[in-house]
């Protein structure tokens, strides 16, 4: 079955850290741009970070730059999102998406325009 699966979501206290994973099955991620998105209740989905397959180039939205780090391990077919200094405003369902079009690194497309995207993992930041 061809799919992306996110994992690593959890309940964490403000100021804490989490690492999310996005793993593919049925295809390899090494040719894809992979991006992370999130959607909080009552809010629009927003793009967070992305990484391409050829030179590891990354792109971050301004509001996460410096706190979130995206990386990839093609041997494990996995892309990670390391999140630090979390606040309650980071509470959301986090999704990853993959696409062969390298232009999607800028996160300008809606997640449903990507070739593949996962069902998401819940991150809750609360004391």
């Amino acid at each position: 079955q061809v799919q992306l699966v996110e994992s690593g979501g959890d309940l964490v206290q403000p100021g804490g850290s989490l690492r999310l994973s996005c793993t593919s099955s049925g295809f390899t991620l090494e040719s894809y741009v992979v991006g992370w998105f999130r959607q909080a209740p009552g809010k629009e989905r927003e793009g967070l970070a992305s990484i391409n397959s050829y030179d590891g180039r990354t792109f971050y939205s301004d509001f996460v730059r410096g706190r979130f780090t995206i990386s990839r391990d093609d041997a494990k077919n996995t892309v990670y999102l390391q999140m630090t200094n979390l606040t309650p405003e980071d509470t959301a369902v986090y999704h990853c998406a993959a696409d062969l079009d390298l232009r999607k690194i800028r996160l300008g497309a809606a997640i449903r325009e990507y070739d593949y995207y996962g069902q998401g993992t819940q991150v809750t930041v609360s004391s």
Side-chain angles (χ1 to χ4, degrees), residues 4 11 18 27 34 53 55 80 94 126:
L4 284 176
L11 170 64
L18 274 179
F27 71 104
V34 178
S53 57
D55 58 10
Y80 303 99
Y94 285 69
S126 175

Side-chain angles (χ1 to χ4, degrees), residues 9-21:
D10 206 346
L11 170 64
V12 62
Q13 292 189 341
S17 300
L18 274 179
R19 189 179 77 162
L20 305 182
S21 299

